[in-house]
Amino acid sequence: MNVKRDVVITEVALRDGSHAIAHQYTVDQVLRVAKALGEANVPYIEVSHGDGLGGSSLQYGLSHTHEMELIEAAVSVSGNSKIAVLVIPGIGTIKEIKEAANLGVKMARVATHVTEADVSAQHLAVAKNLGLETVGFLMMSHMAPVDTLVNQASLMESYGADTVYIVDSAGALLPHQVAERVRALRHSLSVNVGFHAHNNMSLAMANTLAAIQEGAQRIDGSIRCLGAGAGNTQTEVLVAVLEHMGIVTGIDLYKMMDTAEDIIAPLLKVPQEITRDNLVLGYAGVYSSFLLHAQRASKRFGVDSRDILIELGKHKVVGGQEDMIVDVAAELAQVQAAARI
């Protein structure tokens, strides 16, 4: 079915939202969510562990259900919607990309730190050879100057990416910074430019609109804001806003509203909102998926989770360095104990 779309939205609640529920998705939950999103004509639905294929581990968080079972379930009910996966080289492997492709996945999104695009070459090439749509995902994009971002995006394009995303993993970018980055990539690349926002400083919608106005064709959203930290750009709200602007998404707004209210909301133990810890994620420029790890370390060592996150920001810690969260918390506990003597 051909649907007119001025902007193509990827729904990430079944991947990024996995962080918010400690990676405890069940097959039944994924079946209900993916079916509803398919009926709402969402073009792409991303499904995997929050840290991508192969992410289920003690370091990143153990999944309730093997992600390949979740992917297979989503493919079986998604209708015309295409299932996507995320893979981070060093966590996910070529084997897992091939396994996902055999299950019917249509898009592979290969994610690296913003200065490490070179590690994506093999994964993008394999995905391309498998006939998948390929996406380069430059995480923590606030941590690199614009010229570096352009160079890294150009590498991903040369490796075969059909789209390259600016990823605001910490929710730290401001609208004018997003506009500058999208403009630079649009000027330098011949492939699509995408944008993935986080809402830790309540700027996900503003940043997403800034990206679209500068020509970003691919946009991520999470229904009911179900994502790491304070969540992502809220998909059903984004669809409504874009309709007001005369920008066509091809997504059924009423069905998205109903899915958010009737299916997604009951999955959340607490509503996705900007708590003090979420705000500090954006303020300190820290990877959104670090939140639950920092909160656990806070309880274990008796230190304020905000202090942990601020210190992680000072260390410029990036995805894949989750083990440092415990080290930082332990060091803060020692310093604070010494100060009390």
Side-chain angles (χ1 to χ4, degrees):
M1 180 176 64
N2 292 322
V3 178
K4 182 182 185 300
R5 305 185 196 273
D6 298 326
V7 171
V8 177
I9 293 176
T10 295
E11 172 57 58
V12 302
L14 291 178
R15 195 279 302 171
D16 214 330
S18 182
H19 290 295
I21 63 167
H23 315 293
Q24 297 304 292
Y25 276 125
T26 66
V27 166
D28 181 63
Q29 289 170 339
V30 169
L31 284 170
R32 287 187 287 121
V33 174
K35 185 175 187 294
L37 293 173
E39 291 173 349
N41 292 323
V42 173
Y44 293 95
I45 304 167
E46 189 179 54
V47 183
S48 56
H49 184 279
D51 291 287
L53 296 177
S56 181
S57 62
L58 289 175
Q59 181 173 2
Y60 301 113
L62 292 170
S63 297
H64 177 280
T65 307
H66 195 286
E67 61 192 349
M68 293 302 169
E69 294 181 48
L70 302 181
I71 290 166
E72 186 174 22
V75 169
S76 73
V77 296
S78 58
N80 291 313
S81 299
K82 297 177 181 179
I83 301 303
V85 293
L86 182 98
V87 57
I88 301 174
I91 300 176
T93 66
I94 299 301
K95 176 179 177 290
E96 286 152 339
I97 295 176
K98 291 179 178 178
E99 188 175 353
N102 287 335
L103 292 174
V105 161
K106 301 300 183 185
M107 177 195 284
R109 312 209 307 171
V110 182
T112 76
H113 183 62
V114 66
T115 59
E116 298 174 358
D118 59 309
V119 304
S120 69
Q122 184 182 15
H123 292 71
L124 284 168
V126 167
K128 195 82 168 179
N129 288 336
L130 290 168
L132 303 181
E133 185 173 348
T134 51
V135 175
F137 221 56
L138 288 168
M139 300 185 295
M140 300 293 280
S141 285
H142 74 282
M143 294 183 72
V146 175
D147 58 345
T148 298
L149 179 67
V150 169
N151 290 338
Q152 297 295 301
S154 296
L155 284 177
M156 285 184 159
E157 180 182 34
S158 73
Y159 301 150
D162 301 310
T163 300
V164 179
Y165 264 75
I166 297 164
V167 182
D168 188 15
S169 313
L173 288 172
L174 303 176
H176 73 277
Q177 295 172 319
V178 173
E180 181 184 22
R181 283 160 173 74
V182 173
R183 192 182 310 125
L185 262 61
R186 288 278 290 156
H187 178 75
S188 302
L189 305 183
S190 59
V191 297
N192 295 324
V193 175
F195 181 67
H196 174 102
H198 276 270
N199 202 41
N200 297 325
M201 294 203 295
S202 196
L203 289 171
M205 183 64 70
N207 284 343
T208 295
L209 294 180
I212 291 170
Q213 288 169 343
E214 287 295 336
Q217 305 102 323
R218 299 298 184 101
I219 295 296
D220 285 4
S222 60
I223 189 166
R224 197 75 175 200
C225 244
L226 180 52
N232 310 94
T233 309
Q234 192 164 344
T235 313
E236 68 275 23
V237 179
L238 177 62
V239 172
V241 170
L242 294 180
E243 283 195 8
H244 269 297
M245 298 172 66
I247 297 173
V248 178
T249 65
I251 295 174
D252 188 312
L253 176 58
Y254 275 23
K255 287 183 179 179
M256 288 297 285
M257 290 176 175
D258 292 343
T259 301
E261 197 80 11
D262 301 333
I263 298 177
I264 300 296
L267 298 179
L268 291 167
K269 292 182 179 179
V270 295
Q272 289 287 97
E273 59 183 350
I274 302 172
T275 63
R276 58 192 174 193
D277 283 341
N278 291 332
L279 179 56
V280 170
L281 287 170
Y283 176 74
V286 175
Y287 199 46
S288 292
S289 66
F290 283 6
L291 178 60
L292 292 180
H293 298 283
Q295 290 172 337
R296 293 187 189 113
S298 170
K299 292 178 182 178
R300 177 179 172 185
F301 293 98
V303 296
D304 194 316
S305 56
R306 291 170 292 183
D307 290 338
I308 298 172
L309 293 168
I310 291 290
E311 197 65 26
L312 291 169
K314 290 177 181 177
H315 282 73
K316 297 188 182 301
V317 173
V318 300
Q321 295 180 301
E322 280 81 354
D323 54 329
M324 283 190 63
I325 296 172
V326 171
D327 294 339
V328 165
E331 290 172 7
L332 284 172
Q334 289 178 349
V335 169
Q336 291 173 10
R340 289 192 293 267
I341 296 173

